[in-house]
Amino acid sequence: MKKLAILGATGSIGASTLSICRLQPELYDIVLLSAATSVDKMLLLCHEFTPQYVSMSCPVATKLLRKKLAISRIKTQVINDEASLLALLASKEIDSVMAAIVGGSGLRTALAAVEAGKEIFLANKEALVMSGQFFIDAIQNSGAKLWPVDSEHNAIFQAISPSLQNSIGYCDLAAEGVLKILLTGSGGPFLNLPISQFSLISPEQALKHPNWSMGKKISIDSATMMNKGLEFIEAKWLFNAQNDQIQVIIHPQSVIHSMVQYKDGSVIAQMGEPDMRVPISYVMGGKKRIESGVEPLNFFSCADFSFTQPDYNRYPCLKLAIEACYQGQQSTIILNAVNEVAVNAFLKQQIKFPQIAQLIEKVLSTSLTTLVESIDHLFSIDIEAKQKAQQIIKRDLVC
Ligand code: NAD
Ligand code: MG
């Protein structure tokens, strides 16, 4: 049995991961569960899975959970601080890590697991978008095994040769005959809404994804298609792809989860229900086809497939992300940082939907270029970009 840590255990990916653990209890021993603030959800998980350790990033939640665990006489140890969490992740007590924290706050833990050479199931795309080359270098140096969980990257992973699969982060696509990675996206809930109505979009409307059920941040990112932009950057790093080796295609039905186009004219696609238990079971089963609890795809009830090019007037965030990918690491850090602030502000109704892209563009265009020298430098760029974004919201944008 492998010893598993699930970071972001109370979220949407966390829930899908735990459902695979329920179906395949012989595969993983759940040693650590982590989350931010959801004490009651975590308490229920401790009742069910009795992990050895639990960690909450919020100090108030940590205290409360400790109290509730004691009342319930559950022996799970509550980790107090980030340093102890990072040390545990790097220790022999953990073999495999599901990195499913949302946003840049998942970077340090994901990186700690990578540096310690663990097996990483990577859902937290923001960590890779922020750290790029540092993350890939850490994989190469430590020999960590990285498995893409994001459905598109998992689909691509399933459609490439074992030699590419075994060199994630530094593979040579062209040498294996790959022409292009075709990254599909549904276009989100506003694919057909007149752009003139975008400023009236409410958080509730933006949270309603037509095909997928996900956490709040990724749902808003899907509505702006920033999610596909982050995935473009994620694909660049995972598959060592040049920008012209990745193409975004709108496929509103979300049945094809991405494709790989080869120089002999073949295209290999991975298909299935839009359900994260499919890619999660694939990585947790180590490429074996194990039970995921997902219904087989019924082709007779699938709508016709369609494919279109994304319209950058409708999805300016996608354009900004692809441009940032061309520009380099500092731009992708800023893009991600400001997007996190903008999504929160939109959810709190402080800014309007089109202002998400405007805010990102403004901070990107007013930042001086610098080479990212270290992880600490990376975080200083992240913090500065977030502060700048907050100032602009207060000064110019609040609805
Ligand atoms: P979510 O909001 O449902 O869950 C996020 C989890 O992270 C929660 O457990 C929360 O407690 C925890 N968390 C938040 N901040 C934290 C912090 N500072 N420290 C520790 N834990 C913290 O999000 P989600 O939809 O499950 O997405 C998680 C990640 O997976 C994101 O990066 C997302 O882009 C990626 N992803 C999600 C899906 C999906 O279908 N939900 C698909 C592909 C990729
Ligand atoms: Mg995805």
Side-chain angles (χ1 to χ4, degrees), residues 258-277:
S258 276
M259 304 179 263
V260 179
Q261 186 159 47
Y262 288 89
K263 68 179 178 191
D264 64 356
S266 297
V267 177
I268 301 186
Q270 187 265 352
M271 295 182 240
E273 290 291 336
D275 189 318
M276 287 308 292
R277 289 175 297 172

Side-chain angles (χ1 to χ4, degrees), residues 219-349:
S219 297
I220 302 300
D221 284 348
S222 298
T224 60
M225 275 195 88
M226 175 57 90
N227 184 47
K228 212 50 55 187
L230 297 175
E231 289 177 355
F232 188 100
I233 302 165
E234 185 185 11
K236 167 205 157 107
W237 290 116
L238 288 176
F239 304 108
N240 193 23
Q242 305 300 312
N243 286 7
D244 62 1
Q245 287 178 310
I246 313 171
Q247 184 177 3
V248 175
I249 297 179
I250 304 232
H251 165 53
Q253 297 78 20
S254 297
V255 173
I256 294 176
H257 299 308
S258 276
M259 304 179 263
V260 179
Q261 186 159 47
Y262 288 89
K263 68 179 178 191
D264 64 356
S266 297
V267 177
I268 301 186
Q270 187 265 352
M271 295 182 240
E273 290 291 336
D275 189 318
M276 287 308 292
R277 289 175 297 172
V278 177
I280 292 172
S281 64
Y282 182 75
V283 300
M284 289 181 71
K287 293 205 274 186
K288 285 205 188 89
R289 303 293 174 176
I290 60 174
E291 204 56 59
S292 69
V294 177
E295 288 296 306
L297 187 62
N298 178 354
F299 278 89
F300 302 114
S301 61
C302 282
D304 288 344
F305 287 1
S306 54
F307 305 96
T308 51
Q309 294 220 23
D311 168 4
Y312 287 146
N313 291 320
R314 181 172 293 277
Y315 303 113
C317 283
L318 175 61
K319 181 166 181 268
L320 287 168
I322 294 174
E323 283 169 359
C325 191
Y326 275 104
Q327 280 153 9
Q329 183 135 21
Q330 183 207 9
S331 298
T332 58
I333 297 167
I334 295 172
L335 174 100
N336 180 69
V338 181
N339 183 55
E340 287 192 16
V341 172
V343 168
N344 274 329
F346 171 68
L347 285 171
K348 289 187 200 148
Q349 296 183 294

Side-chain angles (χ1 to χ4, degrees), residues 9-237:
T10 58
S12 163
I13 293 288
S16 295
T17 305
L18 288 162
S19 79
I20 301 297
C21 292
R22 278 186 200 102
L23 283 173
Q24 323 279 342
E26 70 289 355
L27 290 183
Y28 292 93
D29 175 17
I30 299 176
V31 175
L32 164 69
L33 295 176
S34 97
T37 53
S38 324
V39 171
D40 288 338
K41 261 193 188 175
M42 188 57 101
L43 185 65
L44 283 176
L45 295 181
C46 290
H47 269 285
E48 183 180 354
F49 294 99
T50 52
Q52 268 167 277
Y53 303 96
V54 73
S55 157
M56 306 296 287
S57 62
C58 162
V60 179
T62 304
K63 271 193 192 158
L64 190 58
L65 182 63
R66 184 173 285 125
K67 222 187 218 172
K68 292 194 175 194
L69 284 169
I71 293 169
S72 307
R73 295 181 193 281
I74 297 174
K75 294 222 166 79
T76 298
Q77 233 174 288
V78 182
I79 294 173
N80 260 333
D81 56 287
E82 194 187 42
S84 312
L85 175 63
L86 297 179
L88 175 63
L89 286 168
S91 76
K92 288 209 169 93
E93 294 195 65
I94 306 285
D95 300 316
S96 310
V97 176
M98 170 57 76
I101 290 175
V102 60
S105 43
L107 173 57
R108 282 197 200 279
T109 44
L111 205 53
V114 169
E115 283 168 350
K118 305 293 175 182
E119 174 177 61
I120 319 291
F121 307 129
L122 185 70
N124 178 214
K125 65 194 83 180
E126 295 92 343
L128 188 55
V129 165
M130 288 172 80
S131 62
Q133 195 63 54
F134 294 111
F135 203 90
I136 300 303
D137 288 348
I139 292 171
Q140 260 188 304
N141 292 337
S142 69
K145 174 98 184 119
L146 187 71
W147 296 90
V149 170
D150 208 350
S151 60
E152 296 74 6
H153 306 76
N154 187 270
I156 295 157
F157 185 81
Q158 294 195 38
I160 57 177
S161 64
S163 86
L164 293 177
Q165 288 179 335
N166 290 333
S167 48
I168 283 300
Y170 46 93
C171 54
D172 185 347
L173 291 175
E176 294 283 318
V178 174
L179 274 188
K180 265 192 180 157
I181 284 169
L182 305 177
L183 202 58
T184 53
S186 70
F190 308 124
L191 179 61
N192 298 310
L193 186 75
I195 297 175
S196 59
Q197 292 179 25
F198 274 25
S199 57
L200 302 174
I201 291 170
S202 69
E204 291 69 33
Q205 289 169 314
L207 285 169
K208 274 196 199 121
H209 194 280
N211 307 327
W212 292 91
S213 156
M214 308 178 284
K216 282 188 179 178
K217 193 227 172 217
I218 186 172
S219 297
I220 302 300
D221 284 348
S222 298
T224 60
M225 275 195 88
M226 175 57 90
N227 184 47
K228 212 50 55 187
L230 297 175
E231 289 177 355
F232 188 100
I233 302 165
E234 185 185 11
K236 167 205 157 107
W237 290 116

